[in-house]
């Protein structure tokens, strides 16, 4: 009886093998990531912080960002936002965003333990982009730059 079961399983495997090979050989569909593109064409792949818990956690304890990586904080209401460097492991630039327009930035915010400095947006904003320190200078980000923000539907 075991021999019959094994022969049946072997026959099924032979029947399905071409289908399995076909599935494995198909290129995997890449899922696009949220991103923001600056006027100079530089694109930043985003991690999103759009819930209160994600905004509180932010990049605290996070490994340093990739050169083309950042975290975009999306706020429910437009107001002056305050950020600190609690439990940060690396320096960042903060880019203050109103809609899709850069309205200010803070360059080279350094980790502090304990965190004492709070960085405030210069005007009410609904978005804050955190990128590796030096990004603003390297990419000549200017107040008034209009960004192409692609959040994608989930």
């Amino acid at each position: 009886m075991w021999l019959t079961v094994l022969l049946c399983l072997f026959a099924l495997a032979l029947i399905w093998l071409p289908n399995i090979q076909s599935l494995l050989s198909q290129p995997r569909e890449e899922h696009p990531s949220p991103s923001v593109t600056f006027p100079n064409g530089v694109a930043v792949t985003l991690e999103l912080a759009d819930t209160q818990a994600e905004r509180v956690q932010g990049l605290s304890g996070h490994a340093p960002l990739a050169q083309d990586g950042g975290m975009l904080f999306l706020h429910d209401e437009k107001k002056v936002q305050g950020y600190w460097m609690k439990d940060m492991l690396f320096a960042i630039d903060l880019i203050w965003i109103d809609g899709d327009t850069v309205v200010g930035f803070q360059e080279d915010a350094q980790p502090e333990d304990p965190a004492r400095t709070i960085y405030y947006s210069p005007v009410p904003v609904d978005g804050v982009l955190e990128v590796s320190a030096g990004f603003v200078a390297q990419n000549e980000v200017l107040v008034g730059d209009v960004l192409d923000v692609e959040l994608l539907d989930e």
Side-chain angles (χ1 to χ4, degrees), residues 46-115:
L46 300 173
E47 295 179 49
L48 297 178
D50 59 358
T51 67
Q52 183 62 23
E54 290 169 337
R55 288 188 294 268
V56 169
Q57 177 64 37
L59 291 173
S60 295
H62 193 287
L65 293 166
Q67 186 71 15
D68 66 343
M71 180 172 279
L72 179 62
F73 295 76
L74 300 171
H75 293 278
D76 298 327
E77 60 182 278
K78 189 185 330 185
K79 65 181 186 178
V80 172
Q81 304 292 342
Y83 279 66
W84 63 358
M85 298 295 289
K86 183 178 185 295
D87 298 326
M88 290 290 294
L89 304 176
F90 55 97
I92 60 171
D93 290 349
L94 295 107
I95 301 173
W96 310 108
I97 302 170
D98 179 12
D100 61 358
T101 304
V102 174
V103 296
F105 42 80
Q106 171 64 50
E107 294 182 77
D108 201 32
Q110 294 291 319
E112 294 181 325
D113 185 22

Side-chain angles (χ1 to χ4, degrees), residues 23-31:
L23 287 173
L24 293 176
S25 66
Q26 291 179 356
R28 291 188 179 158
E29 182 179 321
E30 289 193 30
H31 298 285

